Amino acid sequence: MFDPTIYENLKVVFEGAVYDLDLDGQIVVIHRADLMDLAAMSRSYAIRFRLKDGHSSAEIRLSAGLTDLAGEKLEWRNARPGCGLEIVFSLMLRNPVTACRNIQDILQQIWDIGTAVVQTLSFRYGDDGSRCHNEIAVRFDRKIGESQVSDIPDLLEHTVRTLRQLEPYHTEE
């Protein structure tokens, strides 16, 4: 009988929890991808959503490499299989210097010390740079496994809370 991997089990739990929030009307799922990279023999899953009336988005990214998958399936003695997890927020903003400082403070208050917050700004060539795209990655310092399944509702609560805090910084023009 087929035994699902840690990656597959976590993917199903994340997907179900996110779609539950969508059904409750708190968020709207706007994109989803489940990919297998045959060159690297890795898997990745991403689900992107925004608040029901919001513009900023959050994307949960789950990944597992060949070492994780092989170590788990072949039951290597010293293997520590698990999945990488990253949450990426995306919004357009004005006045990036001030806004990014405030956003960094907000994310450090919401997320645990065991996470790294990285903001990456971009704008179109020819624009004056006063309006730019901000991609904010919350990266966790360790792999996750099935023992963290009970943490997923809290993680999603933090993600929705972060979207609410980021929304005032989003600009259309």
Side-chain angles (χ1 to χ4, degrees):
M1 180 162 169
F2 173 72
D3 185 23
T5 63
I6 294 168
Y7 167 84
E8 290 157 335
N9 287 332
L10 288 174
K11 179 186 81 159
V12 167
V13 174
F14 269 112
E15 190 169 50
V18 169
Y19 275 108
D20 283 347
L21 291 173
D22 187 288
L23 287 172
D24 288 345
Q26 293 185 49
I27 64 166
V28 176
V29 174
I30 55 176
H31 179 73
R32 173 173 89 71
D34 189 359
L35 306 173
M36 177 177 271
D37 182 339
L38 295 176
M41 295 304 294
S42 64
R43 299 213 35 206
S44 62
Y45 174 76
I47 187 161
R48 186 179 320 134
F49 54 91
R50 61 175 172 75
L51 297 174
K52 187 173 182 177
D53 296 321
H55 297 89
S56 304
S57 67
E59 184 171 277
I60 296 172
R61 298 176 181 172
L62 188 67
S63 61
L66 176 60
T67 305
D68 295 309
L69 297 170
E72 179 181 359
K73 284 300 196 184
L74 299 175
E75 299 178 5
W76 290 344
R77 186 175 341 158
N78 295 324
R80 296 192 187 276
C83 295
L85 177 66
E86 180 178 55
I87 302 172
V88 179
F89 299 93
S90 180
L91 68 150
M92 294 298 294
L93 53 83
R94 287 203 183 279
N95 305 318
V97 174
T98 305
C100 289
R101 192 175 315 116
N102 293 341
I103 288 169
Q104 193 77 16
D105 291 342
I106 289 168
L107 269 75
Q108 287 176 341
Q109 289 173 13
I110 293 174
W111 295 93
D112 192 14
I113 294 170
T115 58
V117 176
V118 178
Q119 296 187 62
T120 305
L121 304 175
S122 61
F123 62 94
R124 288 187 185 157
Y125 174 74
D127 288 353
D128 64 6
S130 66
R131 180 177 175 265
C132 61
H133 179 257
N134 190 359
E135 184 176 279
I136 308 151
V138 176
R139 298 184 178 135
F140 298 87
D141 63 354
R142 62 183 173 83
K143 294 180 194 177
I144 65 166
E146 291 158 326
S147 61
Q148 283 82 35
V149 164
S150 61
D151 296 337
I152 291 174
D154 288 339
L155 186 128
L156 289 175
E157 180 183 312
H158 281 56
T159 303
V160 170
R161 182 174 161 208
T162 302
L163 279 174
R164 285 191 185 111
Q165 297 273 335
L166 291 176
E167 198 59 34
Y169 291 95
H170 178 82
T171 184
E172 289 293 322
E173 297 178 19

